[in-house]
Amino acid sequence: MNLLWWRRVLSLTKKELLQYSRDIILVIATLYFFTGEVFIGGKGVSFDLINAPIGYVDYDQSEASREWLNKLRQPYFDVKGSIDNDKDAQHYLDNSSLLGVMEIPHNFQNDLLKGQSTDISFQLDASNVILGNLANSYVSLSNASFNQEWMLKKLKINDIDEMESPSVDAKKMILFNPEGKSSWFMAISEMMTVMTLLSLFLTAAILVKEKERGTIEQLSIAPLTPFQILLPKILAVEIILLIGVALSLFLIVIPVFEVPFQGEFWLFFLVSAVYIYAMSGLGIFIATVSKNLAQVMIVSIILIMPIVLLSGAFTPPEAMPEWEQPIVHFSPLYYYINMGFGIILKGAGLNLIWTDLLSLFALGTVLFIFGISQFRKQFEN
Amino acid sequence: MMNLQTVLTITKKEMLEIWRDRVYFIMAFVFPFIMILILGFGLSFDVEKMPFAVLDYDNSDQSRDYSYKFISSRYFDYKGSIDSVKKADELINTSKVRFVLVIPPEFSKNIINGYSAEVQAQIDGMFNYRASVVSGYISAINANYNSELIQQWAMKSQGMTSQAISDLISPVSLETRYLYNNELKSIWSTGTGLIVLVMLVSPAMLAALGVVREKETGSIFNIYASTASRSEFITGKLLPYIAISYINISILCLLALWVFQAPFKGDLSVLLVANFFFVASAAAIGVLISSFVKSQAAAALISMLGTMIPGIMYSGLMMPVASMSSEAVIEAHAFPAMYQLEVIWGVFLKGQGWPELWLNILILSGFLILLWLLAVLRFRKRVNG
């Protein structure tokens, strides 16, 4: 690999960048993906329970029942009001105008005053599992706090500490994102999804374009090895996407969503570069099997869906079915997500992530060699 | 007026073309099938088997008893005990565990002497939904342990009966009944909900590529020069994609029943009608997109942008419309996906029928008419555009 070899690679890289910059739609799409898309992802989607519409059937109409209902707090719940009977409650649940209905029995207050325990039933629309989980958990907390207050009132004690009984107080520390902001998680994972999408698509698109226009014939008779033809294209994609991820990080993720960047910037960019390398191998493969851009797009989407969804971003691998767990390790995004979140939110250094980085590099190399060997084959035919 | 004969001729030509491009043809059917299987099994919001570790400074019977409450829970997966804070940080930083339970040295002493002891749960807050569900589980397990403690204590020192104690410490018990999905199985809601996402993306993309391909190859000039009107061309072009997509969505609905084992409680006729309007609207979106672009690459990119993102973000699939920001709520209502998702969940899980869903169907048909009109108006039988 002498100087001439490198000069050829560099001038081809320059050609790729020039060609890319002249396709205005592609440039605008890339910019939009890295900024607008990340912004929408962080802003628009949250996994919080906010203003869930709740109704109640209060058969008791007592002070105690009102006190219990008052525990259902904003911003989680929006208590819409009282419902007369079960039938109406069922009706509101069936047509989805309420998420849940509390039913407070007759004699609620009497039972409590007599010191007998009583039940409140909570009918919850669980067709959306996220909402179901969260709503149940918040209502349980409200109920627990009602119970505690009632017990203390009954024992005429003001503070739980005055009661000289053993108890365990579980203090929960939410690390890395103490306020539980969805926007942090969503913006970062959206940025990584965009990286995935573009590293696959751009590589494949650049290659297939040559095929469609027939300029690949020129390249194949040039004094260049397949590796020398492919390397500049991947370098160009690396440059474009690293600039893109920097824009996304410094224009959107950090200033707009106030994500605290705990780790080292250089490490994040290194990890990103390795990730692009890994994905570009797949991109070459896609370009080899496709005849035109339409096919590139369809194959890309088929590949991208499992890569994104099996990455563990939304579903942690441990919660997947047994047979799916090993597959996770074949998704390059799995490593990128682990390392990316590790560096950005958790401040992980090279000493913690080097195994993941090596795995990603190894996986990338396998994909890359596979891509090149397939690419070479098409010249032989 | 449209001439049915012309429309059918264009449809026939389009069908032949799809049939002869084997890659395209196979993709048209395989694509939704693969997507739903992978997504259905892969996208789960069940928070179960969360890996955790215990850092026990106390190492007593009491502390082991306490941590056993967590180890035996089906929501958690015990990864072993560790002996230093450094190790705890490392495990959390590398996502090997999702939380670490720290039990301080004075734990058993405090409990035996009747004081309150403090433990700490360090939870990975990376994904806030997971963190809040885990935090809820921890509270519940802890509360359970506490009531056992108080019960033992009160029986010994106050001489109360166990019934009296439980009446005292938990006067109100909450009984949650999960309607429509009583085991809170995430696959029932995602497995059926994903039909909406897949069948929004796939018809739009197929239809957009189908029209733009003619532009790229130049065969569109035949249409420009023919007697077929704009509406005849658009309708003829749409029909094969609607037919393919209708077959696909029917297969996906059957998959939801057989593979994901979702129940079907509602009115089948509502589903069949809604499916038609939905896939037809999705295909019309594709044709509309194709009128803005010249190359297949741009068609594919924009139809993906224009369907996948609203389909995931603003349909209510990942996040309920009620908790969206106000701009997002507008975007959700401006897109057919939300209405179709209500229909799908309504008929599969909630047992709804025409009385609850007629408006959704009306809106979906409105989308189809509007999108078809826009596509016809945008389409120009002129060479320079």
Side-chain angles (χ1 to χ4, degrees), chain A residues 40 44 46 94 96 172 309, chain B residues 39 139 173 189 314 319 350 352:
Chain A
I40 292 175
S46 82
D94 282 344
S96 313
K172 279 161 287 185
L309 283 145
Chain B
L39 294 181
S139 296
S173 54
S189 31
Y314 308 116
M319 143 168 110
K350 294 189 183 177
Q352 293 178 340

Side-chain angles (χ1 to χ4, degrees), chain A residues 105-120 146-147 150 154, chain B residues 162-175:
Chain A
H106 289 293
N107 297 329
F108 178 73
Q109 179 162 302
N110 276 347
D111 282 348
L112 285 178
L113 289 172
K114 271 189 274 174
Q116 280 171 2
S117 56
T118 173
D119 290 340
I120 284 181
F146 177 86
N147 277 342
W150 191 267
K154 215 153 178 225
Chain B
S162 65
Q163 181 62 39
I165 301 160
S166 84
D167 286 348
L168 177 69
I169 53 180
S170 58
V172 182
S173 54
L174 182 73
E175 276 174 16

Side-chain angles (χ1 to χ4, degrees), chain A residues 25-239:
Chain A
I25 288 193
L26 211 53
V27 175
I28 292 175
T30 315
L31 279 178
Y32 169 77
F33 268 116
F34 274 114
T35 54
E37 199 40 51
V38 174
F39 179 78
I40 292 175
K43 203 80 177 173
V45 174
S46 82
F47 289 96
D48 309 321
L49 187 73
I50 304 168
N51 290 335
I54 293 283
Y56 57 87
V57 186
D58 187 353
Y59 288 117
D60 199 40
Q61 301 279 5
S62 62
E63 209 173 305
S65 70
R66 275 189 290 274
E67 200 179 312
W68 194 93
L69 287 169
N70 273 334
K71 289 273 169 200
L72 298 175
R73 269 168 312 168
Q74 295 271 357
Y76 306 133
F77 298 110
D78 179 9
V79 180
K80 291 284 187 200
S82 164
I83 303 165
D84 294 335
N85 55 46
D86 285 358
K87 233 185 103 200
D88 286 354
Q90 193 63 43
H91 175 71
Y92 288 125
L93 286 165
D94 282 344
N95 69 15
S96 313
S97 50
L98 291 178
L99 182 78
V101 173
M102 306 287 164
E103 198 183 304
I104 300 177
H106 289 293
N107 297 329
F108 178 73
Q109 179 162 302
N110 276 347
D111 282 348
L112 285 178
L113 289 172
K114 271 189 274 174
Q116 280 171 2
S117 56
T118 173
D119 290 340
I120 284 181
S121 96
F122 177 31
Q123 304 204 60
L124 176 60
D125 177 350
S127 56
N128 184 322
V129 175
I130 298 179
L131 283 189
N133 262 326
L134 292 176
N136 182 45
S137 148
Y138 292 133
V139 173
S140 306
L141 287 179
S142 311
N143 185 49
S145 110
F146 177 86
N147 277 342
Q148 196 183 55
E149 276 175 28
W150 191 267
M151 177 180 81
L152 293 178
K153 219 193 296 180
K154 215 153 178 225
L155 298 172
K156 302 199 171 57
I157 302 175
N158 293 322
D159 193 351
I160 184 92
D161 292 335
E162 286 174 30
M163 199 176 140
E164 284 167 352
S165 67
S167 69
V168 180
D169 184 12
K171 288 257 186 294
K172 279 161 287 185
M173 234 170 89
I174 309 284
L175 303 170
F176 317 123
N177 187 357
E179 289 163 54
K181 286 185 183 165
S182 281
S183 61
W184 290 7
F185 175 76
M186 280 314 297
I188 298 171
S189 42
E190 193 62 35
M191 180 172 81
M192 291 175 171
T193 310
V194 168
M195 283 284 276
T196 310
L197 187 83
L198 291 182
S199 55
L200 205 61
F201 179 69
L202 278 184
T203 318
I206 287 180
L207 266 167
V208 122
K209 240 186 209 169
E210 304 242 19
K211 236 171 156 177
E212 270 188 323
R213 295 200 183 132
T215 46
I216 199 130
E217 304 292 332
Q218 286 174 5
L219 283 177
S220 64
I221 54 159
L224 299 163
T225 61
F227 181 63
Q228 242 176 330
I229 297 172
L230 291 175
L231 185 64
K233 296 185 193 300
I234 287 157
L235 283 179
V237 173
E238 289 264 4
I239 292 169

Side-chain angles (χ1 to χ4, degrees), chain B residues 86-104:
Chain B
K86 219 182 128 230
K87 186 74 188 161
D89 285 347
E90 191 189 312
L91 285 177
I92 285 194
N93 277 341
T94 51
S95 304
K96 296 280 188 299
V97 300
R98 300 290 178 197
F99 80 96
V100 173
L101 185 69
V102 186
I103 302 178

Side-chain angles (χ1 to χ4, degrees), chain B residues 125-322:
Chain B
M126 182 181 120
F127 187 5
N128 60 322
Y129 162 70
R130 210 150 57 202
S132 61
V133 176
V134 166
S135 157
Y137 292 156
I138 294 174
S139 296
I141 292 177
N142 188 59
N144 225 337
Y145 185 79
N146 272 336
S147 65
E148 276 177 31
L149 267 185
I150 293 195
Q151 218 148 348
Q152 285 165 4
W153 167 80
M155 273 162 87
K156 245 192 288 172
S157 64
Q158 316 284 83
M160 290 165 81
T161 65
S162 65
Q163 181 62 39
I165 301 160
S166 84
D167 286 348
L168 177 69
I169 53 180
S170 58
V172 182
S173 54
L174 182 73
E175 276 174 16
T176 305
R177 273 196 294 147
Y178 295 112
L179 302 173
Y180 317 124
N181 187 353
N182 39 18
E183 287 164 64
L184 213 61
K185 272 192 187 160
S186 135
I187 201 160
W188 284 10
S189 31
T190 49
T192 50
L194 281 167
I195 296 175
V196 176
L197 174 65
V198 173
M199 291 318 292
L200 181 67
V201 177
S202 123
M205 200 138 93
L206 288 176
L209 288 173
V211 178
V212 176
R213 201 170 41 177
E214 294 217 36
K215 281 194 191 173
E216 265 193 354
T217 55
S219 62
I220 195 113
F221 288 102
N222 297 338
I223 302 292
Y224 290 161
S226 74
T227 51
S229 72
R230 296 189 293 178
S231 54
E232 283 163 353
F233 172 68
I234 297 286
T235 315
K237 207 68 183 165
L238 269 175
L239 282 177
Y241 295 105
I242 295 176
I244 292 176
S245 302
Y246 199 78
I247 296 172
N248 279 337
I249 200 168
S250 308
I251 296 175
L252 295 193
C253 287
L254 290 175
L255 273 182
L257 290 180
W258 292 336
V259 182
F260 302 140
Q261 314 229 302
F264 190 90
K265 297 177 183 161
D267 191 337
L268 181 64
S269 63
V270 178
L271 182 69
L272 294 180
V273 175
N275 279 353
F276 170 76
F277 286 122
F278 180 67
V279 294
S281 310
I285 291 176
V287 173
L288 183 60
I289 287 170
S290 71
S291 68
F292 288 94
V293 294
K294 289 207 188 72
S295 69
Q296 292 190 62
L301 202 68
I302 291 171
S303 57
M304 200 177 71
L305 251 178
T307 54
M308 199 131 97
I309 286 142
I312 294 177
M313 303 284 188
Y314 308 116
S315 60
L317 180 63
M318 300 280 265
M319 143 168 110
V321 177

